[in-house]
């Protein structure tokens, strides 16, 4: 038997993401027959009440439900009330399968409590061919010091190889496609360097605001919520060297090298913004918390020396859109001096959401006798409409069951992301207001080097 034990099974994340993801795996036939799903919560629910909550979550958040799949899912589930006392962990240990995954769908301050409780009850010990794994959600600390303290607490009982840190961005098909696009196309890789690339822009924009999460978000802000994790992962995948093989530690070694090669940041490398009306959101006090952040950084290595990477993320912007846009250098030639041809710049744009696609922006001749040029865009959707694609959470849960850590974050990545971001965490600059539905504050443009401009959303 294998147990998937979900702490916080009565919470919002479980309802919105985890149960629908597990349903996907059930429907696709990917779950082991012997898998049991153990929901853990503080509410004194009966089995019937828990089953009812799972059914309601699936009905609300999962499309195209099949009755027989729902029933198979429900037959796997059981519920356990726990108060996180030593006695409750000891009781859990008596009923746990030899192979277990403990998924902490909990507030971050509960990670050390539950991680320690499981360890002291012997639930971190692996015997024979069986496994024990601990899955935790971001944020992995509030700053460098708290991240180090959390790691020190967890590794008293858990080996680093047992800890799976989820960043759901890494479960997205189009994020994984970055590696295939870069390294499976022999025409591209020789061009993917400072000799040919002028700049890289990574944008993760959201059209919604904080959606009633004021009390949480006001303590976090865009830098901690997005820049330190999601944006750093997109940066590393865009810039890493090819690993010799697609193995978890080899891939994560290369990602960590990117972070360690980053030039130290200062207050002049960041712009912080706040959308108008943020201070009226429920749970928000008089606050200098940023809802937008733009960052300029450089990687001082052989491949990227001198190429600026511009990262920006924000809420209540004009569109929901996540892209990696790479601009190639203009041709260093006078060939078109006496013509109407403007060579301009070429771009490769990987759109990760909402329209998962790839765009090549280039110049072609204008039809007619006049020798001129015009920009064209070659676009292709990522999906071919045939293969069944799993959601990000379904992909990551399946990888956790199979023991593939490639798409999970190793602690040295967490540490070096915090080391990189920490100098600008306490930036004393005031936030710059921007209008809801705009592309962010005007100050972001002052980060750009000469002739560089942010692309429109």
């Amino acid at each position: 038997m294998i147990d998937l034990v979900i702490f916080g099974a009565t919470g919002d994340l479980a309802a919105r993401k985890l149960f629908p993801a597990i349903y996907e795996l059930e429907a696709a036939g990917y779950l082991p027959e012997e898998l049991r799903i153990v929901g853990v919560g503080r509410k004194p629910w009966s089995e019937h009440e828990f089953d009812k909550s799972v059914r309601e979550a699936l009905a609300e958040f999962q499309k195209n439900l099949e009755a027989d799949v729902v029933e198979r899912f429900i037959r796997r589930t059981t519920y356990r009330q726990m108060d996180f006392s030593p006695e409750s962990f000891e009781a859990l240990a008596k009923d746990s399968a030899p192979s277990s995954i403990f998924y902490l769908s909990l507030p971050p301050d509960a990670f050390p409590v539950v991680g320690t409780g499981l360890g002291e009850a012997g639930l971190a010990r692996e015997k024979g061919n069986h496994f024990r794994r601990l899955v935790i959600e971001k944020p992995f600390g509030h700053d460098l010091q708290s991240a180090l303290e959390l790691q020190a607490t967890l590794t008293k009982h858990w080996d680093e190889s047992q800890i799976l840190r989820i960043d759901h961005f890494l479960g997205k098909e189009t994020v994984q496609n970055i590696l295939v696009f870069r390294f499976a196309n022999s025409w591209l890789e020789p061009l993917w360097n400072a000799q040919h690339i002028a700049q890289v822009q990574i944008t993760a924009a959201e059209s919604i605001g904080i959606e009633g999460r004021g009390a949480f978000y006001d303590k976090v802000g865009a830098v901690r919520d997005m820049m330190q994790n999601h944006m750093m992962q997109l940066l590393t995948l865009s810039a890493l060297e090819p690993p010799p093989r697609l193995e978890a530690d080899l891939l994560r070694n290369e990602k960590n090298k990117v972070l360690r090669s980053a030039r130290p940041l200062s207050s002049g490398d960041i712009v912080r913004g706040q959308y108008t009306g943020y201070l009226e959101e429920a749970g928000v006090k008089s606050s200098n918390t940023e809802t937008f952040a733009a960052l300029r950084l450089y990687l001082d290595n052989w491949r990227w020396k001198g190429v600026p990477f511009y990262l920006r993320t924000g809420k209540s912007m004009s569109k929901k859109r996540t892209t990696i846009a790479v601009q190639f250098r203009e041709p260093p030639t006078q060939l078109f001096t006496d013509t109407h041809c403007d060579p301009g710049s070429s771009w490769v744009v990987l759109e990760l959401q909402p329209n998962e696609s790839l765009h090549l922006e280039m110049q072609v001749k204008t039809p007619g006798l006049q020798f001129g040029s015009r920009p064209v865009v070659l676009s292709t959707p990522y999906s071919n409409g045939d293969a069944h694609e799993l959601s990000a959470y379904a992909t990551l849960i399946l990888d956790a069951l199979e023991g593939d850590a490639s798409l999970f974050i190793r602690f040295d990545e967490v540490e070096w992301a915090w080391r990189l971001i920490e100098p600008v965490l306490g930036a004393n600059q005031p936030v710059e207001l921007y209008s809801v539905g705009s592309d962010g504050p005007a100050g972001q443009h002052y980060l750009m080097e000469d002739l560089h401009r942010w692309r429109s959303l």
Side-chain angles (χ1 to χ4, degrees):
M1 180 181 288
I2 301 172
D3 279 354
L4 173 56
V5 184
I6 301 175
F7 286 84
T10 62
D12 188 64
L13 177 64
R16 289 177 176 271
K17 299 295 184 181
L18 303 188
F19 295 147
I22 298 169
Y23 172 89
E24 284 185 66
L25 298 175
E26 181 73 81
Y30 290 136
L31 294 181
E33 288 186 12
E34 68 274 23
L35 179 70
R36 180 175 63 164
I37 300 166
V38 182
V40 173
R42 294 182 180 272
K43 295 179 180 178
W45 279 0
S46 66
E47 294 285 352
H48 174 74
E49 289 173 308
F50 180 63
D51 290 351
K52 182 173 179 288
S53 75
V54 174
R55 291 178 189 275
E56 290 173 349
L58 294 177
E60 183 174 358
F61 300 113
Q62 180 64 35
K63 299 177 181 178
N64 304 319
L65 289 178
E66 298 178 24
D68 60 325
V69 179
V70 173
E71 294 309 313
R72 291 205 309 269
F73 183 112
I74 294 298
R75 285 197 294 270
R76 294 181 183 273
T77 64
T78 186
Y79 181 74
R80 177 182 290 274
Q81 182 188 6
M82 285 185 62
D83 58 7
F84 300 165
S85 65
E87 293 76 19
S88 66
F89 285 107
E90 290 169 6
L92 178 65
K94 292 177 182 178
D95 188 39
S96 287
S99 291
S100 298
I101 295 174
F102 302 98
Y103 195 122
L104 307 194
S105 176
L106 297 167
D109 57 4
F111 294 169
V113 176
V114 177
T116 299
L118 291 168
E120 291 180 345
L123 287 168
R125 289 197 296 269
E126 299 178 326
K127 299 177 182 178
N129 294 324
H130 300 294
F131 61 82
R132 296 281 170 79
R133 297 171 189 143
L134 184 71
V135 181
I136 60 176
E137 289 265 352
K138 78 168 187 74
F140 313 117
H142 189 71
D143 52 21
L144 176 60
Q145 184 59 38
S146 60
L148 292 170
E149 291 171 357
L150 174 61
Q151 177 70 356
T153 298
L154 293 179
T155 52
K156 288 178 181 178
H157 299 283
W158 299 86
D159 186 78
E160 171 63 22
S161 63
Q162 295 177 281
I163 304 172
L164 302 177
R165 299 173 188 82
I166 274 196
D167 183 332
H168 73 271
F169 260 43
L170 295 181
K172 292 180 179 293
E173 287 273 355
T174 44
V175 173
Q176 298 168 52
N177 184 48
I178 297 170
L179 295 176
V180 178
F181 177 69
R182 284 192 54 194
F183 300 128
N185 295 297
S186 59
W187 63 269
L188 179 66
E189 176 56 21
L191 307 178
W192 205 261
N193 55 56
Q195 182 178 352
H196 300 285
I197 289 177
Q199 60 166 315
V200 180
Q201 296 185 19
I202 303 176
T203 296
E206 296 181 81
S207 57
I208 61 173
I210 59 174
E211 299 288 280
R213 298 189 305 148
F216 162 77
Y217 194 88
D218 205 40
K219 299 175 184 177
V220 179
V223 176
R224 287 183 170 92
D225 187 46
M226 288 287 292
M227 195 67 74
Q228 188 273 338
N229 38 74
H230 295 329
M231 303 300 283
M232 290 297 109
Q233 290 301 312
L234 296 181
L235 167 70
T236 58
L237 290 172
S238 303
L240 57 73
E241 296 295 326
R245 295 183 66 181
L246 280 177
E247 295 178 2
D249 279 333
L250 296 177
L251 177 61
R252 295 186 293 186
N253 288 345
E254 298 303 330
K255 289 164 65 182
N256 197 40
K257 288 177 186 177
V258 173
L259 296 172
R260 297 187 71 159
S261 71
R263 191 180 301 174
L265 297 172
S266 67
S267 58
D269 296 313
I270 189 170
V271 170
R272 299 163 64 245
Q274 185 183 94
Y275 64 79
T276 54
Y278 172 76
L279 297 181
E280 281 71 56
E281 297 274 13
V284 174
K285 300 178 181 179
S286 180
S287 170
N288 196 43
T289 298
E290 76 282 351
T291 61
F292 172 97
L295 195 66
R296 175 187 59 212
L297 60 82
Y298 293 88
L299 304 176
D300 289 335
N301 57 29
W302 285 100
R303 183 183 289 265
W304 296 111
K305 178 70 173 178
V307 176
F309 284 75
Y310 303 111
L311 284 65
R312 63 175 171 172
T313 182
K315 292 188 175 295
S316 290
M317 298 179 71
S318 61
K319 292 181 183 177
K320 174 184 174 69
R321 200 172 186 214
T322 301
T323 59
I324 299 171
V326 179
Q327 183 189 35
F328 288 83
R329 297 189 185 279
E330 295 186 8
T333 176
Q334 296 298 309
L335 176 63
F336 303 110
T337 300
D338 298 321
T339 72
H340 296 280
C341 185
D342 178 14
S345 297
S346 300
W347 290 81
V348 170
V349 182
L350 288 88
E351 184 166 353
L352 309 182
Q353 63 180 12
N355 302 311
E356 300 179 339
S357 52
L358 169 66
H359 312 282
L360 302 180
E361 301 178 5
M362 60 186 69
Q363 299 288 322
V364 299
K365 183 182 177 301
T366 303
L369 296 176
Q370 190 177 70
F371 200 88
S373 64
R374 63 187 175 94
V376 297
V377 180
L378 306 180
S379 298
T380 182
Y382 170 73
S383 175
N384 60 14
D386 296 329
H388 174 71
E389 297 172 14
L390 294 175
S391 68
Y393 271 97
T395 297
L396 294 169
I397 290 172
L398 182 59
D399 283 354
L401 287 167
E402 295 180 345
D404 183 354
S406 301
L407 300 180
F408 295 91
I409 302 172
R410 203 169 61 191
F411 180 70
D412 53 356
E413 294 178 65
V414 175
E415 178 182 354
W416 281 95
W418 277 122
R419 289 188 184 279
L420 174 59
I421 290 294
E422 184 131 291
V424 297
L425 272 182
N428 293 323
Q429 62 192 152
V431 291
E432 181 181 345
L433 295 180
Y434 63 96
S435 299
V436 171
S438 70
D439 282 2
Q444 65 182 299
H445 300 290
Y446 295 111
L447 291 176
M448 312 298 277
E449 300 289 350
D450 290 345
L451 303 180
H452 292 173
R453 298 291 183 271
W454 282 110
R455 294 173 59 89
S456 297
L457 293 178

